[in-house]
Amino acid sequence: MMSQRRGIHLDQSELLCKKGCGFYGNTGCQGLCSKCWREENQREKQTQIQEDWALAERLQREEQEAYASRHPKAQPQPSITPFSKFEERKTKEKSSKVNTVTKFFSASTKTPSKKGAPFEAQSSPSSSSSSASRRSSVDSDHATREFIDFLKPLKSGREVFKQCRAFTESMVYKRDMGADEQSECVQDFYQNLSDRLHTQFKGSSEHVESVMDEVEKYMMTRLYKEVFCPETTDDEKKDLAIQKRIRALHWVTIEMLCVPVDEEIAEVSDSVVKSITDVIEMDSKCVPKEKLACITRCSKHIFNAIKISKKEAASADDFLPTLIYIVLKANPPRLQSNIQYITRFSNPSRLMTGEDGYYFTNLCCAVAFIEKLDGQSLNLSSEEFERYMSGQASPQSPQSTGASSCPPGSTTQVHQRLDLLAGLGERQEQVMVKARQLESDLIDWTDEVEQKVQSVLESFPPETQNPTAIEASGTTSAAASAIDSDNVENEHLPPPLLPQVFAG
């Protein structure tokens, strides 16, 4: 059994960050957690800046040497460094990005808020047509009202809302920014706000977590259209690729994946349907937390189905193959875009720890497994795998199981159904021929029996009847004659005298 699972088995240590920080990693971050991923990106960017600066200096030096060799008598010109501002520009961009985030957390003296000023007055924009059109959205307005209602009882609620509103409106004008840079800005805002709540506002961990959940819900609902599957990324291309890949793997069965689920059980089948519904519903949510909640519900239904089927608690080796099977059956829309969106804009603490982070990491592993799936992973030869992928053969052909795993409307399924109908027609003709032959044989047998009975009756004439029957018949006739003779004699006698009942 272990050899059958060699392509799907995943040790729990493989779910953790490759840096060894103890948090969960995911394939979207190359096996790193979101914190280590950001640190690695910043380190790579800094290295790239230094390499670009070194290259610029080398090119400038070579240009000056070439110029000096061509004009030896020319007066030395002052050093013109067109690349000298390269590092300054990069530093300015980085500092401006940090200032953009940190300035929301500095005390503002230009527009002091009144203590009695309602949140609704602060939530209205100055004079931005794009903000007005954005808040006309029903979802955005609803999220704003819920966020305001949540912050009203809090002492620091007004300041939190002010900072979140300003940052959200500033992000709208950065649509041309790369997805990674947008993610970095949002994650920096999360971190700075969380630190401020812990220090200045003296909030407990539970209080800070609840506030950050509402902050994420408010911000990402308003920014969803701008940051989900942006044009600057290849998320849409990846969505089409994984969707095509899953469609090509429609023939994969439960037995091939060693899924310990018995769908013949009604309760198990119901859990499978619910898990498929939950993973499909993920695309309809706007908030990363809500998308993660769909993944968590899907995973819990999977554990329930395994528990009922095996009548014991499910293990990680049972969960991952079943999750792969559910993803293959569901083929969720925009799967890669949703995974990237969660990775970029979810609260990092939720992805690194807890059940949401664990289930999300398993989903990333399942998608990576599907992308790299081969015959060895399913205990098939490379020839069989290629035949199944091309549609030339099916592991559930009518000759073997009487069913077909081809998708409805496919050419392979049509030919299989036609062959099946032709075979049924031939079998029906054979049954009808045998039925007519049986009917003819039955009629012939009936006629033969009647002829034999008639011949037997004719072979015994009436004279050769049983003597006992003849004697009994004679006795009966004599008794009948005696009775008739008595009746004749009695006809000549006078009627009997009646007794004199009444006296004269």
Side-chain angles (χ1 to χ4, degrees):
M1 192 66 179
M2 292 300 296
S3 61
Q4 293 181 349
R5 293 188 180 180
R6 62 182 182 276
I8 305 178
H9 175 73
L10 184 66
D11 190 80
Q12 293 301 295
S13 61
E14 299 179 17
L15 301 178
L16 300 178
C17 177
K18 292 182 179 180
K19 289 287 186 179
C21 63
F23 297 122
Y24 291 120
N26 58 75
T27 55
C29 296
Q30 299 180 0
L32 302 176
C33 67
S34 57
K35 181 180 179 181
C36 295
W37 172 252
R38 291 179 58 203
E39 294 176 353
E40 190 70 20
N41 278 344
Q42 292 176 359
R43 190 179 300 107
E44 291 178 357
K45 289 180 180 179
Q46 188 64 28
T47 304
Q48 186 66 35
I49 291 174
Q50 294 176 358
E51 292 177 355
D52 293 342
W53 172 243
L55 177 62
E57 286 184 338
R58 184 171 61 82
L59 293 175
Q60 180 184 356
R61 186 169 53 254
E62 292 177 356
E63 183 179 357
Q64 291 176 353
E65 293 175 355
Y67 180 81
S69 64
R70 289 195 302 268
H71 305 280
K73 296 182 180 181
Q75 295 292 332
Q77 298 293 331
S79 178
I80 300 174
T81 58
F83 297 100
S84 62
K85 294 185 179 181
F86 180 80
E87 185 179 11
E88 180 182 353
R89 185 171 64 254
K90 288 294 183 179
T91 305
K92 186 183 295 183
E93 289 179 359
K94 185 176 181 180
S95 61
S96 63
K97 187 185 299 181
V98 175
N99 292 334
T100 302
V101 176
T102 56
K103 70 180 181 180
F104 298 122
F105 301 95
S106 60
S108 176
T109 58
K110 294 181 180 179
T111 57
S113 60
K114 299 180 181 180
K115 293 184 178 180
F119 278 106
E120 289 77 1
Q122 298 184 27
S123 63
S124 60
S126 55
S127 59
S128 175
S129 58
S130 61
S131 299
S133 61
R134 185 175 66 256
R135 276 197 309 277
S136 61
S137 174
V138 177
D139 293 339
S140 180
D141 291 342
H142 183 67
T144 302
R145 287 193 297 268
E146 287 187 346
F147 191 48
I148 291 173
D149 294 338
F150 174 80
L151 293 177
K152 278 182 177 179
L154 302 181
K155 182 178 180 181
S156 58
R158 183 176 287 104
E159 185 68 20
V160 172
F161 179 78
K162 177 182 175 181
Q163 295 165 2
C164 294
R165 178 177 62 86
F167 178 79
T168 304
E169 291 183 355
S170 68
M171 287 292 296
V172 175
Y173 299 100
K174 300 179 181 179
R175 298 176 181 177
D176 297 334
M177 183 186 294
D180 293 337
E181 295 179 350
Q182 290 178 342
S183 173
E184 188 175 350
C185 289
V186 173
Q187 296 296 337
D188 287 340
F189 182 82
Y190 286 159
Q191 186 64 41
N192 288 322
L193 180 58
S194 177
D195 293 342
R196 189 172 180 85
L197 291 175
H198 277 103
T199 57
Q200 182 176 348
F201 299 149
K202 305 298 181 182
S204 62
S205 299
E206 294 78 8
H207 174 71
V208 173
E209 184 177 355
S210 62
V211 173
M212 293 304 300
D213 288 343
E214 294 298 326
V215 168
E216 178 190 284
K217 181 179 180 181
Y218 165 74
M219 289 176 49
M220 301 319 300
T221 301
R222 300 188 65 185
L223 296 174
Y224 183 75
K225 294 182 179 179
E226 283 75 18
V227 300
F228 183 84
C229 191
E231 297 179 357
T232 57
T233 63
D234 58 348
D235 292 347
E236 186 176 1
K237 183 179 179 180
K238 293 180 179 179
D239 289 335
L240 297 176
I242 190 65
Q243 190 177 48
K244 183 179 179 181
R245 176 70 172 175
I246 292 177
R247 286 178 178 175
L249 293 169
H250 62 83
W251 48 268
V252 177
T253 62
I254 289 182
E255 293 76 16
M256 293 179 180
L257 295 172
C258 299
V259 177
V261 169
D262 185 6
E263 293 189 84
E264 297 296 330
I265 303 175
E267 192 173 354
V268 173
S269 178
D270 184 60
S271 296
V272 170
V273 171
K274 289 180 179 179
S275 62
I276 293 175
T277 304
D278 288 331
V279 75
I280 293 176
E281 187 182 2
M282 175 179 59
D283 184 60
S284 64
K285 305 299 181 180
C286 297
V287 185
K289 179 184 177 182
E290 296 177 354
K291 292 181 181 291
L292 287 171
C294 293
I295 299 174
T296 301
R297 289 197 302 270
C298 168
S299 302
K300 290 184 176 180
H301 287 309
I302 290 175
F303 274 108
N304 184 57
I306 298 174
K307 182 178 179 181
I308 296 174
S309 301
K310 296 183 64 177
K311 295 181 176 57
E312 61 181 11
S315 63
D317 290 340
D318 297 328
F319 171 68
L320 184 59
T322 310
L323 179 60
I324 295 171
Y325 174 71
I326 294 298
V327 173
L328 290 175
K329 290 194 69 174
N331 197 358
R334 301 192 292 183
L335 180 57
Q336 288 287 5
S337 292
N338 282 285
I339 290 177
Q340 293 297 330
Y341 176 75
I342 294 172
T343 303
R344 292 168 184 157
F345 302 106
S346 179
N347 192 342
S349 61
R350 188 177 298 110
L351 293 183
M352 294 188 297
T353 57
E355 61 178 5
D356 288 345
Y358 174 78
Y359 295 136
F360 178 71
T361 302
N362 275 273
L363 177 62
C364 294
C365 293
V367 175
F369 177 85
I370 292 173
E371 292 176 339
K372 300 177 181 179
L373 186 64
D374 56 8
Q376 184 179 3
S377 302
L378 301 175
N379 297 305
L380 298 174
S381 63
S382 58
E383 293 78 10
E384 289 177 328
F385 183 80
E386 292 300 329
R387 286 202 304 270
Y388 294 157
M389 290 293 291
S390 62
Q392 297 177 359
S394 172
Q396 294 181 347
S397 59
Q399 290 79 4
S400 59
T401 60
S404 175
S405 63
C406 296
S410 64
T411 305
T412 305
Q413 187 189 46
V414 170
H415 288 300
Q416 290 178 353
R417 294 292 174 85
L418 290 176
D419 295 340
L420 181 61
L421 289 175
L424 291 175
E426 294 177 358
R427 293 175 60 186
Q428 185 179 8
E429 288 295 333
Q430 295 177 1
V431 170
M432 293 302 297
V433 170
K434 291 183 179 180
R436 287 191 290 268
Q437 182 66 34
L438 181 61
E439 182 181 8
S440 176
D441 294 343
L442 182 62
I443 293 174
D444 295 340
W445 180 78
T446 303
D447 294 340
E448 184 180 358
V449 170
E450 290 180 353
Q451 292 176 1
K452 288 183 178 181
V453 171
Q454 187 64 27
S455 62
V456 169
L457 292 176
E458 291 177 355
S459 62
F460 293 97
E463 293 81 11
T464 61
Q465 293 180 356
N466 192 351
T468 307
I470 296 175
E471 182 179 358
S473 175
T475 306
T476 304
S477 300
S481 300
I483 293 173
D484 291 339
S485 61
D486 291 341
N487 291 336
V488 171
E489 292 178 356
N490 291 334
E491 288 179 357
H492 300 282
L493 292 176
L497 296 177
L498 298 176
Q500 297 294 325
V501 178
F502 300 100

